[in-house]
Amino acid sequence: MFRTAILAALVCAGTSVTAQDASIEGVITEQLQAFRDRDVGTAWTFASPMIQGIFQTPENFGRMVQNGYPMVWDNSDVQFLEQQEFESRTRQEVLIKGPDGAFYILDYQMIETEAGWLINGVQVIPAPDIVS
């Protein structure tokens, strides 16, 4: 019951944010759509040079996401939450529903390049322990 209330509050918070940079949301939205479409080549284009350097190919990148981030690979019910500046990067929190039906909060680290905003990493934010 408490978990449901927290998730409902997060969803409401995500829908009330209007001052965030739409281009960041657009990049994340387009990459998530590419993963839903299984278009790893397009999803790869939204990754920063650092991420592309680590994984070397779109296929390696796609395997990593499919195996390590199933909630990104098979995502739904995406809500944008808090966005904040952190050193030279911007962090965007995203509430997302995974294939298991559970909700996850992801912390997207974004960098601005000459080509526009790119995703420089994603981290799952642990859910708080809830005692009922």
Side-chain angles (χ1 to χ4, degrees), residues 27 33 42-44 66 99 106:
V27 166
Q33 182 62 52
T42 296
W44 173 254
Q66 184 177 12
L106 303 176

Side-chain angles (χ1 to χ4, degrees), residues 65-78:
V65 172
Q66 184 177 12
N67 294 323
Y69 294 87
M71 74 289 290
V72 172
W73 185 254
D74 284 312
N75 64 84
S76 64
D77 296 333
V78 177

Side-chain angles (χ1 to χ4, degrees), residues 15-63:
T15 58
S16 66
V17 177
T18 58
Q20 294 179 351
D21 187 337
S23 65
I24 287 175
E25 291 182 9
V27 166
I28 295 169
T29 298
E30 288 183 45
Q31 188 184 60
L32 290 172
Q33 182 62 52
F35 283 126
R36 282 193 303 274
D37 294 342
R38 301 303 186 249
D39 184 355
V40 174
T42 296
W44 173 254
T45 66
F46 299 108
S48 72
M50 181 194 75
I51 297 297
Q52 290 184 359
I54 291 169
F55 294 101
Q56 298 293 306
T57 69
E59 294 77 22
N60 289 340
F61 177 66
R63 278 191 293 279

